[in-house]
Amino acid sequence: TEVEPVKATVERPPPVVTVQVDGDAPDPWTSFEPLIPELRGPLLASGLETPTPIQAHAIPLLLSGRDVVGIAPTGSGKTLAYL
């Protein structure tokens, strides 16, 4: 008997994020709304609705001209934050 694959969505709680910043830091983002439309549009079109925790903290820091070292698990969105 052939078994058909089943698609499932798993809801996971957001990871605990520890952020260490020297000096003042901008508030983390809760959406991609602050990005210019040319960047925000493709993100939303690809299904990304909200930044991951590493993106929420790193993008505002990077856009403010700060250096960032981000340490997070594979698949957490680090690369997108640096782009």
Side-chain angles (χ1 to χ4, degrees):
T1 307
E2 197 169 313
V3 177
E4 290 191 32
V6 177
K7 289 186 177 181
T9 302
V10 177
E11 294 291 328
R12 297 181 181 165
V16 175
V17 176
T18 302
V19 178
Q20 182 178 350
V21 178
D22 290 335
D24 293 333
D27 291 334
W29 288 2
T30 57
S31 74
F32 291 115
E33 190 64 31
L35 288 174
I36 60 172
E38 292 83 0
L39 295 176
R40 184 177 60 248
L43 292 175
L44 298 176
S46 69
L48 297 173
E49 297 176 6
T50 58
T52 65
I54 188 77
Q55 295 164 354
H57 289 276
I59 294 172
L61 284 165
L62 292 165
L63 291 177
S64 71
R66 301 288 297 273
D67 292 330
V68 173
V69 174
I71 301 170
T74 299
S76 62
K78 294 181 299 296
T79 302
L80 179 61
Y82 285 107
L83 293 176

